[in-house]
């Protein structure tokens, strides 16, 4: 009897050990710190290939949009459709670029999405030390204004968490265009000490136990990996900007309700 109990205990322990990595993978499949969205209900977004205004022939707006799509897919309650579907819809609409708010909303309606990210590549230099500047804006279809679609706990934590987070600083003042809900714009120069610190944090979070002391350098010498890092930070900042906007919406609506 005792032998059977020992065998059952060992089998249960083995099962739990095997299950742990799988659970971790489901929670954080890319190995970096999970992105947090302010939504309590699912939202579907689309990303338009980024316009290249960097002056470099090497910048590929489709590749960068793909990186953003894969990063934002890791945020809870945010689903992002593949970029090739966006390209097909733009071809059907004979829309080479999204040049206005009306273009954005027409494309959103065609795709059946709740939000559309439009952006530009403002700087691109793939040689060590790499440099990448990106500006992205989120057009919101209106569903996010519903209070039952917001996670108030995440909104209240966002401002506190942002104060000490390594990815919080570095945005340039962003002038939002007509119809834009949230936007962020940043320039990442790998020779800058603050960017290197962020890159080390990202590499450590992503590589985990497999990281070695200078392992983060591979994210610096590979422009593809560096682009993943930049799009991760930009995704983090966009979600925080959206959380701040929606928190302000709640505050405004609460004040209006009290004044009635």
């Amino acid at each position: 009897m005792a032998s059977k109990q020992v065998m059952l205990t060992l089998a249960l322990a083995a099962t739990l050990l095997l299950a742990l990595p799988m659970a971790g993978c489901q929670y954080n499949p890319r190995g970096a710190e999970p992105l947090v969205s302010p939504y309590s209900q699912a939202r579907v977004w689309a990303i338009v290939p980024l316009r290249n205004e960097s002056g470099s022939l090497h910048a590929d707006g489709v590749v960068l949009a793909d990186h953003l799509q894969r990063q934002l897919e890791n945020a809870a309650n945010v689903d992002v459709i593949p970029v090739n579907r966006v390209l097909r819809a733009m071809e059907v609409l004979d829309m080479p670029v999204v040049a206005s708010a009306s273009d954005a909303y027409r494309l959103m309606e065609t795709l059946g999405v709740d939000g559309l990210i439009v952006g530009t590549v403002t700087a691109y230099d793939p040689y060590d030390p790499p440099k990448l500047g990106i500006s992205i804006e989120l057009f919101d279809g209106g569903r996010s204004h519903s209070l039952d679609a917001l996670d108030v706990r995440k909104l209240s934590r966002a401002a506190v968490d942002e104060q000490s987070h390594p990815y919080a600083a570095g945005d340039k003042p962003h002038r939002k265009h007509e119809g834009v809900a949230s936007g962020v714009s940043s320039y990442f120069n790998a020779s800058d000490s603050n960017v290197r610190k962020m890159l080390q944090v990202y590499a450590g979070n992503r590589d985990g136990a497999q990281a070695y002391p200078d392992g983060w350098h591979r994210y610096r010498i590979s422009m593809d990996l560096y682009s993943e890092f930049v799009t991760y930070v930009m995704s983090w900042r966009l979600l925080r900007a959206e959380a701040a906007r929606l928190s302000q919406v709640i505050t405004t609506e609460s004040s209006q309700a009290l004044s009635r």
Side-chain angles (χ1 to χ4, degrees):
M1 181 67 69
S3 177
K4 288 184 178 180
Q5 289 177 340
V6 170
M7 291 179 64
L8 287 172
T9 302
L10 290 173
L12 178 59
T15 302
L16 290 173
L17 287 172
L18 288 171
L20 283 174
M22 185 177 296
C25 231
Q26 291 173 343
Y27 176 63
N28 187 11
R30 294 187 61 79
E33 178 184 348
L35 296 172
V36 178
S37 79
Y39 309 119
S40 63
Q41 297 178 9
R43 291 288 173 271
V44 180
W45 287 357
I47 303 174
V48 175
L50 276 61
R51 296 191 305 274
N52 181 15
E53 297 181 358
S54 68
S56 170
L57 298 177
H58 298 290
D60 190 328
V62 175
V63 170
L64 290 168
D66 280 331
H67 281 317
L68 282 168
Q69 185 260 328
R70 287 193 293 270
Q71 298 290 6
L72 286 165
E73 270 287 318
N74 291 324
N77 293 324
V78 175
D79 294 319
V80 189
I81 67 174
V83 177
N84 58 9
R85 282 183 54 192
V86 181
L87 285 168
R88 285 199 297 269
M90 292 175 70
E91 289 177 2
V92 170
L93 295 172
D94 193 20
M95 185 186 294
V97 297
V98 176
S100 64
S102 59
D103 284 348
Y105 288 115
R106 189 156 63 103
L107 183 56
M108 289 170 63
E109 184 177 2
T110 300
L111 292 167
V113 297
D114 304 304
L116 183 74
I117 293 176
V118 177
T120 58
V121 185
T122 58
Y124 191 94
D125 183 354
Y127 303 106
D128 189 26
K131 303 170 185 67
L132 181 55
I134 290 180
S135 176
I136 53 176
E137 297 178 324
L138 172 66
F139 288 85
D140 180 68
R143 291 182 62 196
S144 298
H145 290 292
S146 173
L147 294 184
D148 64 355
L150 309 181
D151 190 327
V152 179
R153 291 171 299 176
K154 289 180 182 177
L155 292 175
S156 63
R157 287 199 305 266
V160 177
D161 294 344
E162 187 172 348
Q163 293 174 1
S164 59
H165 201 284
Y167 304 138
D171 285 342
K172 296 179 181 177
H174 189 85
R175 177 180 172 274
K176 291 187 292 186
H177 298 94
E178 178 189 359
V180 172
S182 298
V184 289
S185 177
S186 293
Y187 173 67
F188 299 82
N189 183 343
S191 66
D192 181 85
S193 60
N194 290 326
V195 173
R196 287 201 303 271
K197 289 176 184 177
M198 288 191 291
L199 189 54
Q200 290 170 10
V201 170
Y202 176 81
N205 285 338
R206 189 177 183 204
D207 292 347
Q210 287 72 42
Y212 49 97
D214 294 327
W216 67 274
H217 283 293
R218 70 190 185 95
Y219 292 89
R220 172 172 167 164
I221 61 177
S222 166
M223 192 57 180
D224 191 56
L225 290 176
Y226 191 71
S227 298
E228 286 186 6
F229 153 70
V230 169
T231 53
Y232 171 82
V233 178
M234 293 298 289
S235 298
W236 189 94
R237 291 178 176 175
L238 180 66
L239 290 170
R240 289 296 166 140
E242 182 68 353
R245 177 183 75 87
L246 297 173
S247 179
Q248 184 60 42
V249 169
I250 292 176
T251 302
T252 302
E253 292 185 355
S254 298
S255 298
Q256 291 174 346
L258 289 173
S259 63
R260 291 172 187 166

